[in-house]
Amino acid sequence: MNSDGWLRRFFATDASNSALLIQRVVLGVVMFPHGAQKVLGWFGGQGFSKTMETFTMMQFPAPIAFLVIIGEFFGALLLILGLATRLAAFGITLIMLGAIVLVHAPMGFFMNWHGAKSGEGFEYHLLTLALGIPLVIWGGGRYALDSMLAKSSPASKS
């Protein structure tokens, strides 16, 4: 497959699929505050520099910490717009898998509602995976900007 065909398939989605629209927007809206905490310091967050410092103190390599921070913030915005949906959802999926394996699995399944544990469980992360994986597979659905890009790619005009 030539690069134009790959690019068209990367952006292609079922523009009539409202379920994917809902999944995409909900995942983007849920992830945005987490990314904004890390990048901008909004919603009680630390901001970029302090979050980088925290992640590297937790033994995350700086490039990985950077990708997590940027992936949560810009990935959420891209999902809301339906732009590069597969890439954004894939990034968030990887971030959530990493969070489960490296941080949250030892805390168990449930969130820490009563402050009895030293951290949060991974139930939230599983829900984000349930939203993100279908977006990686099928794209952004109705009203995704991706569908316009797929239609305007050179391969779709031949």
Side-chain angles (χ1 to χ4, degrees), residues 10-73:
F10 177 75
F11 288 114
T13 188
D14 178 357
S16 67
N17 191 321
S18 295
L20 293 171
L21 162 69
I22 293 166
Q23 286 184 247
R24 173 174 54 82
V25 172
V26 168
L27 183 56
V29 167
V30 166
M31 290 305 299
F32 178 77
H34 293 275
Q37 285 178 317
K38 292 172 179 71
V39 171
L40 304 172
W42 293 0
F43 309 107
Q46 301 178 3
F48 183 79
S49 297
K50 188 73 173 159
T51 302
M52 280 292 293
E53 181 181 318
T54 299
F55 278 4
T56 55
M57 284 179 16
M58 294 170 60
Q59 305 304 309
F60 288 102
I64 299 297
F66 177 79
L67 288 173
V68 167
I69 294 166
I70 296 304
E72 281 189 18
F73 183 72

Side-chain angles (χ1 to χ4, degrees), residues 97-153:
L97 285 171
I100 291 170
V101 172
L102 299 172
V103 179
H104 297 280
M107 305 303 157
F109 178 76
F110 294 103
M111 294 183 70
N112 190 11
W113 289 103
H114 304 291
K117 299 183 280 188
S118 61
E120 301 289 341
F122 57 88
E123 64 181 313
Y124 160 81
H125 305 85
L126 289 178
L127 292 173
T128 62
L129 293 175
L131 291 171
I133 291 170
L135 296 171
V136 172
I137 297 169
W138 293 299
R142 185 182 299 269
Y143 305 123
L145 294 178
D146 289 340
S147 62
M148 291 189 304
L149 293 172
K151 289 177 187 173
S152 68
S153 74

Side-chain angles (χ1 to χ4, degrees), residues 84-108:
T85 300
R86 285 185 170 88
L87 177 64
F90 183 69
I92 288 173
T93 297
L94 287 179
I95 291 166
M96 293 297 111
L97 285 171
I100 291 170
V101 172
L102 299 172
V103 179
H104 297 280
M107 305 303 157

